[in-house]
Amino acid sequence: WQRVALLAALLGTSVALQLYNPQILRRFLDTAMGGTNTSSLPRQALLFIILALSTQILTALARYVGEQVSWTATNDLRADVAAHCLKLDLSFHKARTQGEMVERIDGDVTALSNFFSQLIIDVLSNVVLMAGVLILLFREDWRAGLAMSAFAGGAFYILAVVHGYATPIWTDWRQVIAENFGFIGEQLAGTEAIRASGATGFVMHKFYLMLNRLLRSNIRAMNTISLMWTSSLAMFTIGNAVALGIGAYLYLKGAMTAGTVYLLFSYTELLRRPMEQIRTQLQELQKAGASVDRVEELLRTESRIQDGPKGTPIPTGSLSVTLDNVGFEYDAGDPVLHNLTLDLTPGAILGLLGRTGSGKSTLARLLLRFYDPSAGEIRLGGIATTDARVADLRKRVGFVTQDVQLFVASVRDNLTFFDTTTDDAHMTAVLEELGLGPWLNSLPNGLDTELESGGGGLSAGEAQLLAFARVFLADPGLVILDEASSRLDPATETLLERAVDRLMAGRTGIIIAHRLATIQRADRILILEDGRVLEEGGRAQLAADPGSRFAHLLRTGIEEVLV
C-alpha cells in the first residue's frame, strides 16, 4: 500500500505538470505576439523546459514503482495458481499436458503482469489526464469542451466495440499457445523413444501442423490490432479537424487569442496521446482479458478429492487397512475394480499380485486417495479415507514406485521435497543405513550437491534408494511398494531388500511385485485378476495348498506368469 500511495502521488504530480505546461506556452505565445513585457519570455521558456524534464523523470519513477507493484501482486497470483493446481486430483492432470500447465500457471499470469504493470501508468493516469484536459477545455470555452467531449466519447465507444469483438480471438490464441507448449514438452520428454523409433519426421510433421494452426490464430489476433489501429487513426484525424475548426472559428470571432487557439490544439494533442496509449493498452487488455478468463477457469476448477468434513485424524503407528466392497472406475461404465474386500491388521505385510492391468496400481492410488472409490469404503486405522484431511492421510502413507521423480535441486531438497525443517544428521544417518553413505561422501558438496535433470548421473538403483530414503524420513504408518525393485541389479536389490526389512519394521506394508524374492516377507497374499479378488489368504497356507493359485505361481515362476 505504501508503494501504491507513492505511485498515486507520482502519477498525480506528472498529470498536473502535463496539464500546466500548455498554459505556459499560451502565455509565451500571447506575450511574444503582443510585443509587451518580452523580457519574461526566457523565464517562461526555462520554466517550460524544467517542467517538461520533471514530467519525464516522474514518469520514469512511476513506471519503476508500477512494475514493482504489479509483479509483486502477480507473483502472489502465480503462487496461488500453482498451489491450487497441486491440490487438484489426478483426473485433472491426466487430461492436460505438462507444457499446457506451465503455460497456464506462468504464461497467463505473466500476460496479466505485463498488463497490470502498464495499467496504472498508461491507462489510469491517462484517464485522469483526459478528464483534466476536458475540464480545462470547458473552462476556456464550453463549445470547445463539448465538441472534444463528444469526440472522446465516440472514440471510446468504437474502441469498446472492437475490444468486445477481439477478446474471444485472443482467448483462442492463448489456448493454442498452451497446447503448443504442451506438445513440445511431451516430445522433449520422449526424445529417446522418438529417436529409437525413427519417428522424428512424424513428430516434426505434427509440429508443423500445430505451428500452422498457431499462425492462423495469430493472424486473426493481429487483424484485431489492425482494426483497432485503423479505428483510432480515423478518430484522431477527426479530432484534429474538430480542434482546428473550432479554434479558427473562435479566433475569427475574437473569442480567443492566438495563444488560446494553440492551447486548444495542444490540449487536443494531449488528449490524443492518452487515447493512443489507451488504444495500445486495450490490445494488452485483450490478451490480459483472455488470460483472466483462463486463470479464473482454472481457479474455479475444484478437485474431486476434498478434505473430509469431519477432518478425523489418522492414528499414529502402524495402520490397519480395510477394503469394504470397494469398486472403482476411471470412466463411467468401465469398472476397473469390483467389490474388493480385505482386512489387513496393523503391522502385517500384504503381497499384492496380478497381471499387468489387473488393478494393483489402481488400488495403491485409492489408498493414497489420489482417487475416491466409486463404491464401497476404504478405512486406514479404522478411519474412512473420505473422513480424513487429504494432507494428513498422505503423511501417513508412504509410496514408492519404480519410476522415481528427482528434481533439479540439492540432494537435501530431493529427500525432503524442499522441507527445511528436517535435520541434516538424520538425513545422513538414513542414507548411511540404506548403503548410500559412500555415494554421499563422493559428492562434492554433500547434501548441498545439485542433482541433474531427471536424476542424470545416478544409477537406477541409487535413484530408487533415494526414494526409499524419502519414505524413511516421512515415517508413515503404511508403506506401499509398487514394483519398486523390478529395475534393479542383484547387488543393488540386496541393499534394497535390507532397506525394505528396516522400513517395514513396525509398519503395515503392501508390496506389489512380480518377483518371488520381494514377497517372501509377506504375511498375506492377495491376487487380483481383471479387478476382482482371485485369491486371498495367509502366504504360508496358500503356498502349502497345491491347488491354490499362489502355489501354482510358485511352481511356474511368478515372473513368467504375471508379466
Side-chain angles (χ1 to χ4, degrees):
W1 287 111
Q2 292 87 345
R3 281 180 287 179
V4 171
L6 174 61
L7 180 60
L10 291 170
L11 291 175
T13 306
S14 174
V15 168
L17 293 180
Q18 291 180 70
L19 292 173
Y20 183 66
N21 248 6
Q23 301 284 348
I24 299 175
L25 282 177
R26 174 171 67 172
R27 287 200 298 271
F28 184 93
L29 288 173
D30 286 343
T31 300
M33 295 182 69
T36 60
N37 195 24
T38 56
S39 61
S40 65
L41 292 179
R43 290 195 303 272
Q44 293 178 24
L46 179 61
L47 179 60
F48 176 84
I49 293 172
I50 291 173
L51 293 183
L53 289 174
S54 299
T55 301
Q56 295 302 314
I57 293 172
L58 289 172
T59 301
L61 289 174
R63 187 169 299 280
Y64 175 78
V65 176
E67 290 281 352
Q68 278 194 322
V69 171
S70 68
W71 278 95
T72 299
T74 50
N75 277 343
D76 286 344
L77 175 60
R78 187 178 285 107
D80 289 343
V81 173
H84 178 74
C85 289
L86 288 173
K87 294 177 182 177
L88 294 176
D89 57 89
L90 284 186
S91 60
F92 171 85
H93 291 283
K94 292 287 186 183
R96 291 160 180 83
T97 63
Q98 294 176 354
E100 179 182 355
M101 293 311 301
V102 169
E103 174 64 14
R104 295 290 291 272
I105 294 171
D106 185 68
D108 285 336
V109 178
T110 297
L112 289 179
S113 180
N114 292 339
F115 172 68
F116 287 122
S117 64
Q118 310 296 325
L119 173 66
I120 298 176
I121 301 168
D122 290 339
V123 177
L124 296 184
S125 64
N126 284 319
V127 168
V128 174
L129 180 60
M130 287 181 60
V133 166
L134 294 176
I135 291 171
L136 291 176
L137 285 173
F138 270 105
R139 280 189 57 193
E140 296 298 331
D141 188 280
W142 67 269
R143 288 162 292 190
L146 187 62
M148 297 314 297
S149 295
F151 157 68
F156 272 116
Y157 174 76
I158 292 175
L159 293 178
V161 170
V162 175
H163 170 256
Y165 163 74
T167 296
I169 295 175
W170 282 100
T171 301
D172 176 71
W173 181 69
R174 295 220 52 92
Q175 178 61 31
V176 173
I177 287 179
E179 293 175 4
N180 189 53
F181 274 116
F183 178 80
I184 293 173
E186 282 187 321
Q187 307 317 308
L188 291 177
T191 298
E192 290 186 9
I194 292 171
R195 289 178 176 176
S197 303
T200 303
F202 298 104
V203 171
M204 290 306 300
H205 175 67
K206 174 68 173 178
F207 187 42
Y208 292 143
L209 293 177
M210 296 196 70
L211 289 178
N212 187 42
R213 182 186 172 196
L214 181 61
L215 173 63
R216 293 196 303 271
S217 179
N218 184 258
I219 289 174
R220 289 195 298 270
M222 291 301 105
N223 283 340
T224 65
I225 292 179
S226 299
L227 178 61
M228 186 167 289
W229 180 82
T230 304
S231 302
S232 62
L233 182 63
M235 291 303 299
F236 295 150
T237 303
I238 295 172
N240 284 334
V242 170
L244 290 173
I246 290 178
Y249 170 75
L250 295 175
Y251 177 76
L252 293 174
K253 288 190 65 175
M256 282 187 178
T257 65
T260 304
V261 172
Y262 181 82
L263 178 70
L264 176 61
F265 181 77
S266 179
Y267 275 154
T268 304
E269 282 296 297
L270 203 57
L271 193 64
R272 172 179 177 170
R273 287 203 301 271
M275 291 189 66
E276 172 67 21
Q277 290 181 345
I278 290 172
R279 178 196 67 78
T280 303
Q281 281 304 306
L282 282 177
Q283 298 170 12
E284 293 298 320
L285 177 60
Q286 291 160 7
K287 300 177 185 178
S291 296
V292 166
D293 291 342
R294 286 161 52 81
V295 170
E296 282 187 337
E297 176 194 3
L298 187 56
L299 290 176
R300 284 196 303 267
T301 303
E302 293 188 2
S303 175
R304 299 178 184 177
I305 308 300
Q306 298 288 336
D307 287 336
K310 301 179 181 179
T312 308
I314 302 293
T316 58
S318 59
L319 299 173
S320 62
V321 178
T322 303
L323 307 180
D324 187 2
N325 290 315
V326 170
F328 178 73
E329 51 190 32
Y330 290 106
D331 301 310
D334 186 17
V336 177
L337 299 178
H338 308 264
N339 302 319
L340 298 190
T341 297
L342 172 70
D343 282 304
L344 191 63
T345 58
I349 297 177
L350 175 72
L352 184 57
L353 305 176
R355 295 180 184 274
T356 300
S358 61
K360 305 186 300 298
S361 295
T362 297
L363 178 56
R365 295 188 180 102
L366 293 178
L367 291 171
L368 280 154
R369 211 181 166 208
F370 289 161
Y371 302 93
D372 279 335
S374 305
E377 185 178 70
I378 298 175
R379 295 186 293 276
L380 299 179
I383 305 301
T385 55
T386 52
D387 287 340
R389 293 181 65 250
V390 176
D392 291 342
L393 183 149
R394 291 175 184 167
K395 286 180 181 177
R396 301 292 298 128
V397 181
F399 187 45
V400 182
T401 70
Q402 59 180 318
D403 297 316
V404 180
Q405 177 64 57
L406 295 175
F407 307 103
V408 182
S410 67
V411 174
R412 176 188 293 101
D413 288 339
N414 270 282
L415 289 174
T416 65
F417 290 102
F418 308 98
D419 181 359
T420 58
T421 62
T422 306
D423 182 61
D424 284 5
H426 183 36
M427 280 186 275
T428 302
V430 166
L431 292 176
E432 289 281 357
E433 187 171 357
L434 290 176
L436 287 175
W439 172 79
L440 179 64
N441 294 331
S442 69
L443 298 178
N445 298 311
L447 291 172
D448 293 318
T449 303
E450 291 272 323
L451 297 183
E452 299 176 17
S453 176
L458 294 178
S459 68
E462 289 167 340
Q464 197 73 69
L465 289 171
L466 280 178
F468 265 76
R470 288 172 173 171
V471 178
F472 266 99
L473 293 169
D475 192 21
L478 169 65
V479 176
I480 304 172
L481 306 182
D482 189 356
E483 305 178 14
S485 63
S486 62
R487 294 169 54 190
L488 303 183
D489 57 89
T492 306
E493 186 177 357
T494 300
L495 287 176
L496 183 65
E497 290 299 322
R498 288 202 296 266
V500 171
D501 290 335
R502 173 68 178 85
L503 182 60
M504 293 298 182
R507 297 183 177 89
T508 307
I510 297 179
I511 301 175
I512 303 172
H514 287 162
R515 306 174 75 168
L516 179 60
T518 311
I519 60 168
Q520 287 302 310
R521 61 176 54 81
D523 304 305
R524 302 186 66 78
I525 296 294
L526 176 65
I527 301 176
L528 291 179
E529 186 168 300
D530 296 329
R532 293 181 172 84
V533 176
L534 182 63
E535 188 170 82
E536 192 268 329
R539 180 180 61 82
Q541 291 85 350
L542 292 177
D545 180 2
S548 71
R549 174 66 172 171
F550 180 63
H552 172 70
L553 292 175
L554 295 179
R555 290 193 301 270
T556 308
I558 291 179
E559 292 88 342
E560 286 73 17
V561 176
L562 293 184
V563 295

